[in-house]
Each structure stands twice: as C-alpha cells, then as structure tokens.
C-alpha cells in the first residue's frame, strides 16, 4: 500500500456498483469538508452531487487514479450524523448500498449539479441557488397555517379526552426514551385525538423538538393534515410523492434544519433527515402502502421503529386492525399495548348484516346486483337524509368481457390478466359499443371493444361481473332521485377531481358514494350511516397467506366509516357475499379483531409463517418463463452450502441453523407487459441467520445476467 498524502474523502453516490467512492479533498477545502456535507464530484464527463460519508481513504486505493472533488454544494446544510447511520442500517437491512438509499431521499431539486463553469472559468450567471430558494419557499408555505386550501371545513378545537383516552395518554406521557407503543383502537375511538394530545405535549416541553406523523395517504385526506396543522400550531412540513419538486425541496429542507416542528408524511418521509426528532406516530400502521413497491422495497413502519430505536425516542403505532407482526410483538411484550375500546363520540359500532346473493339468471343484464336487504337499507337511509357508502374494490365497468357462445374472454395479449371493460364519460344506452374500451390494469394497453367475438364471430358480447362504473348505473336506476358520486383511481387521476368530490361528500351534497379502497381509510363523514360492501369474495381464496388479514382490515376500515357521530342513527353495514359463513364475516359482525388475529396467528405459528419466521423473495423477470425459472434455479444452486435447499430437509434442527429455499415458481401474475416473472422464497426462523445468508448468497449471484432482471425483496408483503 502506498502512503496516502493529502486529505481524502469517501463519498456516497446513487450507484449500485460500490458502497462508496474515493476522492481527494482539494487543499482549499481541507478542514472544511465534513461527513454529511453535499459535494460536487467529477464522474466521467459529468458532475454529480454526492454525500460525504467519511474523511478517510479506502484501504489500498491507487492515489494516482483518485480524482479531486470539485466544491461544496452551495447553501447546503451538513446532513446529520444520525441520518448517515440510519442510511447505513437501511442499506444493510435491504442489501443495497447506502448511497442508493440516501441520495434518492434528497429531493431532486437539491441534488441537481449546478451548471459547470464556462471555458473562461466564469460560471454563467447562476439562477438563485436551490437551497436559498427552498428556504424562502418554506417561509411562504408555513406562514398561514389554516384556510389555505379552500373548501376544507374549518378545524375545531381539541376535545377533552375521554377516560380511555386519558389512560392511554397517561401511559404515553409517563415514558421516556425508546419504546414501541401499539395503540389498538376501534374505528372512531379517537386515535387521532390521542396522537394530537401526545404530540402537543412533546412539542410544548422542548422548543426544538420535532414530531413525525406518518400516514398511508395524504392527497385523499387533506382534512387530517389541516387538522394537525391547526391543532399543533408550529411551523409544519408535509412530505409526500404527489407534491411539486419545489415544495418537496422546501419541506424537506425545513425538516433537516429544524424550522419545521411538525412533519406529516407518507412512507418516503421516514427517509428524511431531521434536526431533532422526538417522537414518531405511524397511523394505520397495518396499511400496505407503508411498503414501497419498488426496490429497495422498504417498510416505512419497520423503519420508523428502527429510527426511533437509534434516536432513543418513542414510536406510536395506531390501528383498528394492527398487522399480525405488531400484534404478535405486543403479545410477546416487545411492544406495549394500549387500547381504546369505545367510540369517542359515544356512538356505537355499526350493526353488521351478512347477506347472500341468489344466483341470477344468466340472461340478467346485471349478474350481480344488489340484494333486497341492501336496497331496503339504502332506501331507508335516503329517506332519513343520511349518506350511504357502496364499497366495491374494482374499478371500471366490468372486469371481463365474454362471449357466451364460445367462451372467449378479453384476455390481455401481454399479461396474465383480463382487459377490463371501461366506460368513457357518461352512461350510455344499453347495447352501445361506442364509449366503451378494454383496458389492461397491469400494462395499461387499451383496445376498442370488438364489434363481434374475435374467436367465433358471435355478435353479442357480454360484460361479466361488475365494477364501480356499472354499480353506479345500477344505483342510478334503482334510486333515480339520489345524488350519486363515484371515487376510484379513474376519477382521482383527473387533477383536483377527488378533492372536489370529497368536499361535496363532506358537505352532504352526495347521497350515495360508490368507491374503492380509496374511500375506506381515514375519512370521517358526518352523515354517513350505511356502508354496503359488494363482492369481497375474490380475496377469500387468494393464494397469498396474508389475504385474510388484509381483507379483514379493509372491511373493518370500511365498516368503521358508518355511524361515527352521535345524534344520527346507529351505523349499519351490509355485506353481500357468496360465503356468508366464512369466519372472516363472523369476526367482522362481532367486531372481534383480537379473536380473529389470534386465530390467524395460531395458523401462522403452525405453518411456520411470519411473524414466526422471516422471508426474503428473489424475483426474476425475463422474456420467457423458463428463462426466469432457470435463472432462479441457478441462483438456488449457488446457495448449495449456505442453506437448506429442499423442503424435505425441513427439520426443526436444520431450520434453526440455515434458511430454507423453496422451489422457484411463477409469480401469481406470471406475465406483465410481455415479461415473464418467477420468484424464489427464502425462509428462516432467525432474522440474523437470514441476513447472513443473503449477504453471502448475493455476493455469488451475477449482478447483470443477460436477458434477466432480478431483485431481492426483504419481508415481502405479498408472496
Ligand atoms: P379514529 O382515528 O380512532 O378512527 P378519530 O380520531 O377520527 O377516530 O375520532 C373519531 C371521531 O370522534 C372524530 O369525529 C373526533 O372528532 C371525535 N372525538 C375524538 N375524541 C373525542 C373526545 N374526547 N370527545 C368527543 N369526540 C371525540
Ligand atoms: Zn365467441
Ligand atoms: Zn396487459
């Protein structure tokens, strides 16, 4: 090894090729450059923004080849050391490089390299540098706390906590340092109120403290953000993926520099640096949207716990239907359980009725309509002037178009899925083909509706089953006077449309709301007294072992929208299913989360599934399925001496020692956009053993095999 002369720095870049990169520190910056600073470095013929990780050289570097870093990014703060440490933890856990985790967490605006100096050495007159811009933007954003977005009802003051809420707050306020609290509170029990009281206390006690509230979704619940801002009257920042880059930069910088005290965000907010984070709340902690769907597939809920641990601060997870992971941790005593068992307003939980659809005659234009019970209930509700939510988790008009003559179905050419029949624009007279379209929800391909069966020429093609658009028409026919609104992703795609509709709903201008999952969460609609759940049956028999847990959570959430306010009639829920005796509906009707969760946990324990074991999933994508499977087989062979390869060797003793590798199989959606997809599941009873194995195994797998794209997902949510 040569003697190193001068100063060196290892910096992080968003590149998969190495954990860090060496640069020489120019003499002018010696003693100035510090870990956590943003610097500009030369990279080939480009310049890139990098984060300084340490002030040392990698062992054995070739000094002659080391380039010199260019300059500090003007106006950038030094990012805190705990953030770098957290990034390293995340990278280790998800088996990525730290730069791949941390650089994407810096808003784009703040990591574009400033223009290079012109040939004469002078930089063209630079526009105002991005950090200064972000600071002034935040001052504008943060000043008027309320009444910025019009149409949102004015927030109200704090409630006096109920007895149960006081008990919960007493426990929370009495604890110091790291602790995971799991707040299990039925829908409408006033969890939000608990968060606000708790956080208000923390903010009042320490004039520098910051608090982070993570929520599954902000765009659709502007009320919550509004309420938080009004009730916690400190400068607040919001972080989510839907905001403009300018606003994102402004809010992010305010979190780092401590000028924002209250930060509300979706999952990506957990990766932001904070000046002095004192507490974290994860609302609806069970919600799958806390899981990032692309690499590195992190779970913001899990990272919130890791972050709280490293900062030695408390984290509060709240839900009416906690994830089984969290529930088990509470049972085992690792998390402390807090409960709210009654609705804060004094309202009772809704009465749930389960009904079955008779099979309709096959020539009925509406194969699955509304049961008598549902119709009667909606009629009553309309008569009382109250609102109804009709929940159907399937957008479009009909999930598949079929030929009754030969059995042709509107299969997508490139995916293992059907193209869904969609209506464009307003309702059309029955039998009209124009104004409809076939759309694949996976690859997005669109086709006109064929004039006749492509396979046998039969003229009459028939929509099978119903989506939200069709049920909207059914309701319009059944209740001609009612004002009906629909909210699903097709509607929400039009900018501002969802917000306007939600305002209408809250103001009582809509009688019947048809909606998907989007409407299930977080909404507190005063006049909503009836919830009708249509056709939840698909999820009952899904192959994923988490399907029942998810369905129960969704149904509990939707049901929980009904009758939240005292003074109205008690809430009612009608569930239409073909399997009325399924235990999931019994648990729903008796509001028995704990009973249902404990039963699922027993099954998971018997089967050795999470949370009693830990999973990683290697996924491969290729032109053909055999190619994808062959790659995974090879990968499995590379694990020969590191793991238990076959399920037959799955003895208790072997599993204690070594992870188990299952056979590669096609993914449930085996083809998307012409790419075939397969997966290989790795399971271990020990998390450390799993990660030791993965590190050794990944080192053997070729990074970029020809014709294959692969990725590793830790703690996959769906398998
Ligand atoms: P959750 O998040 O548990 O579903 P929320 O926090 O949305 O419940 O509260 C449900 C309703 O109860 C809200 O309308 C809220 O204003 C009201 N509420 C909450 N706490 C109280 C209280 N202590 N007294 C009266 N009403 C309350
Ligand atoms: Zn046909
Ligand atoms: Zn497709």
């Amino acid at each position: 090894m040569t003697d190193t002369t001068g100063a060196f720095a290892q910096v992080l870049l968003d590149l998969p090729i190495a954990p860090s990169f060496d640069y020489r520190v120019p003499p002018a910056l010696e003693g100035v450059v510090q870990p956590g600073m943003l610097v500009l470095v030369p990279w080939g013929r480009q310049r890139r923004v990098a984060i300084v990780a340490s002030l040392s050289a990698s062992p054995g570097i070739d000094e002659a080849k080391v380039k010199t870093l260019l300059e500090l990014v003007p106006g950038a703060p030094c990012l805190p050391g705990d953030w770098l440490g957290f990034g390293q933890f995340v990278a280790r856990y998800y088996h990525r490089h730290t730069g791949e985790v941390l650089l994407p967490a810096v808003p784009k605006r703040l990591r574009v390299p400033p223009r290079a100096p012109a040939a004469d050495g002078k930089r063209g007159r630079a526009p105002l540098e991005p950090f200064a811009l972000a600071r002034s933007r935040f001052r504008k954003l943060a000043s008027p706390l309320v009444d910025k977005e019009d149409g949102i009802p004015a927030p109200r003051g704090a409630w006096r906590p109920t007895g149960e809420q006081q008990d919960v707050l007493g426990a929370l306020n009495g604890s110091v340092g790291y602790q995971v609290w799991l707040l299990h509170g039925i829908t409408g029990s006033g969890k939000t109120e608990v968060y606000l009281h708790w956080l208000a206390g923390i903010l009042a006690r320490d004039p520098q403290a910051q608090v982070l509230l993570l929520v599954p979704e902000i765009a659709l619940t502007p009320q919550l953000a509004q309420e938080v801002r009004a009730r916690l009257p400190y400068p607040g920042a919001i972080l989510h993926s839907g905001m403009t880059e300018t606003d994102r930069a402004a809010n992010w910088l305010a979190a780092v520099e401590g000028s924002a005290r209250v930060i509300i965000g979706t999952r990506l907010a957990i990766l932001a640096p904070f000046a002095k984070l004192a507490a974290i709340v994860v609302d609806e902690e069970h919600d799958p949207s806390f899981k990032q769907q692309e690499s590195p597939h992190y779970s913001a809920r899990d990272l919130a716990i890791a972050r709280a641990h490293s900062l030695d601060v408390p984290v509060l997870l709240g839900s009416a239907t906690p994830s089984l992971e969290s529930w088990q941790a509470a049972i085992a005593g690792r998390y402390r359980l807090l409960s709210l068992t009654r609705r804060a307003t004094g309202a009772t939980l809704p009465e749930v009725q389960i009904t079955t659809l008779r099979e309709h005659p096959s020539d009925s234009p509406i194969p699955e309509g509304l049961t008598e019970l549902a119709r009667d209930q909606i009629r009553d509700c309309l008569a009382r002037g109250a609102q109804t939510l009709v929940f159907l988790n399937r957008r479009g008009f009909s999930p598949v178009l079929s030929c009754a003559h030969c059995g042709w179905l509107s299969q997508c050419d490139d995916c293992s899925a059907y193209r869904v029949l969609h209506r464009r624009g307003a309702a059309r007279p029955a039998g009209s083909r124009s104004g409809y379209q076939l759309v694949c929800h996976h690859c997005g391909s669109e086709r006109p509706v064929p004039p006749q069966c492509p396979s046998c020429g039969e003229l009459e093609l028939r929509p099978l089953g119903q989506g939200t658009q069709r049920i909207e028409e059914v309701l319009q026919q059944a209740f001609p006077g009612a004002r009906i609104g629909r909210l699903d992703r097709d509607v929400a795609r039009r900018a501002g449309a969802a917000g306007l509709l939600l305002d209408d709903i809250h103001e009582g201008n809509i009688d019947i709301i048809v909606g998907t999952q989007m409407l299930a969460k977080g909404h507190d609609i005063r006049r909503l007294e009836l919830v009708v759940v249509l056709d939840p049956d698909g999820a009952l028999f899904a192959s994923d072992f988490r399907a029942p847990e998810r369905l129960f959570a969704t149904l509990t959430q939707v049901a929980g929208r009904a009758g939240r306010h005292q003074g109205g009639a008690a809430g009612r829920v009608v569930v239409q299913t073909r399997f009325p005796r399924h235990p999931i509906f019994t648990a729903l009707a008796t509001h028995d989360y704990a009973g249902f969760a404990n039963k699922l946990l027993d099954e998971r324990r018997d089967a050795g599934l999470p949370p009693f074991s830990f999973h990683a999933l290697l996924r491969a994508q290729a032109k053909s399925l055999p190619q994808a499977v062959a790659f995974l087989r090879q990968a499995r062979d590379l694990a020969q001496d590191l793991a238990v390869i076959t399920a037959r060797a799955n003895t208790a003793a072997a599993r204690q020692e070594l992870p188990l590798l299952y056979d590669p199989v096609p993914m449930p959606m085996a083809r998307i956009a012409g790419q075939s997809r397969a997966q290989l599941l790795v399971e271990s009873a020990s998390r450390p053993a799993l990660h030791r194995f993965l590190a050794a195994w990944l080192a053997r797998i070729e990074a970029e095999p020809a014709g294959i794209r692969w990725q590793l997902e830790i703690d996959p949510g769906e398998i």
Side-chain angles (χ1 to χ4, degrees):
M1 191 166 60
T2 51
D3 272 353
T4 52
T5 53
F8 289 85
Q10 291 178 52
V11 307
L12 307 173
L13 288 167
D14 181 12
L15 293 168
I17 49 183
S20 68
F21 302 83
D22 287 282
Y23 284 89
R24 194 185 294 276
V25 178
L29 292 180
E30 271 184 50
V32 177
V33 171
Q34 296 298 326
M37 285 185 171
L38 293 174
V39 292
L40 279 171
V41 298
W43 182 263
R45 302 176 61 183
Q46 302 169 341
R47 301 138 56 83
R48 281 179 177 247
V49 170
I51 303 168
V52 178
S54 75
L55 293 179
S56 58
S58 313
I61 57 162
D62 181 352
E63 273 194 53
K65 285 195 182 150
V66 176
K67 291 188 183 158
T68 302
L69 66 83
L70 301 168
E71 57 179 311
L72 304 182
V73 172
C78 186
L79 302 171
D82 73 84
W83 185 66
L84 291 181
F86 177 64
Q88 281 156 6
F89 165 82
V90 177
R92 252 194 329 275
Y93 190 80
Y94 293 107
H95 297 269
R96 304 297 298 261
H97 295 312
T98 312
E100 293 178 283
V101 172
L102 290 186
L103 277 146
V106 179
K108 273 205 196 77
R109 276 287 152 85
L110 303 180
R111 63 180 149 93
V112 284
R115 234 178 282 130
D120 58 9
K122 282 191 233 120
R123 204 190 285 279
R125 222 171 72 83
L128 196 57
E129 54 98 346
F131 283 88
L133 269 178
R135 281 184 198 103
S136 74
R137 175 82 185 142
F138 182 72
R139 281 193 294 273
K140 283 207 198 83
L141 286 176
S143 43
L145 277 173
V146 281
D147 294 330
K148 266 204 306 104
E149 287 108 39
D150 43 31
I152 292 164
R156 40 156 192 73
W159 298 98
R160 261 196 62 208
T162 62
E164 275 191 331
Q165 286 172 329
Q166 271 171 28
D167 292 345
V168 166
L169 284 165
L172 287 170
N173 290 332
S175 89
V176 281
Y178 169 71
Q179 174 68 52
V180 187
W181 298 93
L182 177 61
L183 174 58
H184 173 225
I186 63 165
T187 55
S189 59
K191 294 184 287 296
T192 315
E193 201 63 26
V194 167
Y195 307 152
L196 293 174
H197 276 276
W198 182 50
L199 298 178
I202 291 169
L203 290 163
R205 278 194 296 276
D206 174 351
Q208 255 111 50
Q210 295 174 300
V211 297
L212 172 64
L213 171 61
L214 290 178
V215 295
E217 161 77 62
I218 289 184
L220 280 173
T221 46
Q223 285 180 314
L224 175 73
Q226 201 69 7
E227 182 167 357
V228 173
R229 289 179 147 221
R231 291 274 304 278
L232 303 176
Y234 302 88
I238 296 193
L239 288 170
H240 64 91
S241 58
M243 60 206 309
T244 64
E245 285 298 331
T246 315
D247 284 356
R248 177 132 165 230
N251 284 290
W252 186 88
L253 193 60
V256 191
E257 298 190 327
S259 41
R261 304 276 312 278
V262 180
I263 296 98
I264 311 171
T266 54
R267 62 172 181 260
L268 58 85
I270 195 60
L271 293 174
F274 298 100
K276 192 177 182 190
L277 191 58
I280 309 176
V281 171
V282 185
D283 188 25
E284 310 292 3
E285 66 89 28
H286 66 280
D287 199 293
S289 53
F290 284 122
K291 192 87 200 290
Q292 159 104 338
Q293 289 309 307
E294 300 113 50
S295 189
H297 294 106
Y298 64 85
S299 154
R301 192 255 331 269
D302 295 353
L303 291 186
I305 293 166
R307 192 125 196 217
H309 185 255
S310 70
L311 291 169
D312 195 27
V313 301
V315 51
L316 174 58
L317 313 178
S319 176
T321 50
S323 66
L324 291 186
E325 278 76 7
S326 300
W327 187 245
Q328 172 57 26
I331 291 172
R334 281 183 290 123
Y335 300 172
R336 286 182 58 189
L337 184 64
L338 303 164
S339 304
L340 294 173
T341 60
R342 285 185 290 276
R343 283 189 154 178
T345 56
T348 49
L349 277 173
E351 184 195 327
V352 180
Q353 288 172 287
I354 313 290
T355 71
T356 316
L357 282 163
R358 279 174 295 111
E359 287 301 324
H360 284 253
S362 60
D363 58 352
S364 157
I366 304 156
E368 294 161 69
L370 294 166
T371 53
E372 277 311 302
L373 179 69
R375 277 172 209 262
D376 290 348
Q377 293 283 356
I378 296 175
R379 198 172 301 119
D380 280 3
C381 201
L382 284 169
R384 285 198 306 274
Q387 292 168 299
T388 298
L389 169 62
V390 176
F391 174 78
L392 174 61
N393 211 7
R394 200 186 294 129
R395 66 195 168 91
F397 186 83
S398 173
V400 54
L401 189 65
S402 76
C403 169
H405 187 67
C406 77
W408 174 86
L409 297 168
S410 55
Q411 172 77 45
C412 175
D413 309 313
D414 296 319
C415 303
S416 29
Y418 298 115
R419 289 208 179 96
V420 175
L421 188 66
H422 276 257
R423 195 189 63 221
R424 296 277 173 242
R428 295 291 137 79
S432 143
R433 255 193 334 112
S434 66
Y436 288 85
Q437 213 171 9
L438 290 168
V439 181
C440 174
H441 286 186
H442 298 276
C443 69
S445 64
E446 299 181 357
R447 295 286 180 277
V449 175
Q452 58 194 58
C453 173
S455 151
C456 75
E458 166 74 33
L459 284 176
E460 202 192 322
L461 294 173
R462 190 170 294 155
L464 282 188
Q466 60 192 354
T468 46
Q469 289 181 326
R470 192 175 200 179
I471 211 62
E472 195 185 2
E473 288 185 11
V474 170
L475 288 163
Q476 202 75 73
Q477 281 161 20
F479 307 101
R483 295 165 298 178
I484 301 178
R486 171 169 65 87
L487 184 53
D488 54 29
R489 260 199 292 143
D490 295 319
V491 175
R493 204 169 288 142
R494 276 175 269 136
L500 286 179
L501 186 63
L502 281 165
D503 289 346
D504 265 349
I505 292 171
H506 285 289
E507 281 160 24
N509 301 332
I510 305 272
D511 303 312
I512 306 177
I513 311 148
V514 179
T516 54
Q517 192 106 307
M518 287 191 130
L519 262 174
K521 315 171 187 172
H523 296 282
D524 193 33
I525 303 167
R526 296 194 69 85
R527 297 292 292 146
L528 188 72
E529 288 179 7
L530 173 65
V531 169
V532 177
V533 176
L534 298 182
D535 196 17
D537 298 347
L540 290 177
F541 304 100
S543 58
D544 192 324
F545 72 90
R546 282 193 176 86
E549 176 186 356
R550 289 238 172 85
L551 179 60
F552 185 76
T554 304
L555 294 181
T556 302
Q557 288 295 332
V558 196
R561 300 310 104 203
R564 291 161 73 87
H565 292 269
Q566 209 177 19
R572 286 175 173 274
V573 177
V574 176
V575 180
Q576 288 190 188
T577 167
R578 286 201 205 76
F579 308 94
R581 268 189 269 282
H582 196 285
I584 215 166
F585 300 124
T586 317
L588 183 73
T590 51
H591 305 290
D592 185 16
Y593 164 79
F596 188 67
N598 293 339
K599 193 173 128 298
L600 288 181
L601 278 176
D602 286 344
E603 292 169 14
R604 300 260 188 105
R605 192 182 287 108
D606 291 345
L609 287 168
F612 302 99
S613 65
F614 303 92
H615 281 167
L617 201 57
L618 183 66
R619 295 215 181 93
Q621 195 175 304
K623 270 252 150 359
S624 77
L625 193 59
Q627 258 177 300
V629 171
F631 168 80
L632 294 177
R633 288 230 173 82
Q634 275 168 21
R636 207 175 69 141
D637 292 343
L638 294 172
Q640 237 11 288
D641 53 328
L642 300 172
V644 180
I645 297 291
T646 65
R648 251 160 304 167
N650 185 9
T651 63
R655 291 189 53 188
Q656 281 308 311
E657 296 298 316
L658 294 169
L660 169 71
L661 272 69
Y662 286 83
D663 282 328
V665 290
M667 284 174 58
M669 277 288 305
R671 232 157 74 85
I672 290 187
Q675 289 281 310
S676 294
R677 302 150 16 113
Q679 66 185 31
L680 187 173
L681 180 66
V682 185
E683 187 177 279
S684 173
S686 147
R687 208 197 278 277
L690 177 66
H691 284 268
R692 273 195 306 276
F693 162 77
L694 292 173
W697 188 39
L698 287 176
R700 296 180 185 184
I701 300 176
E702 198 186 337
E704 287 172 353
I708 305 278
R709 297 233 324 263
W710 65 266
Q711 47 182 228
L712 180 74
E713 182 173 354
I714 308 295
D715 306 327
E718 280 171 55
I719 60 172

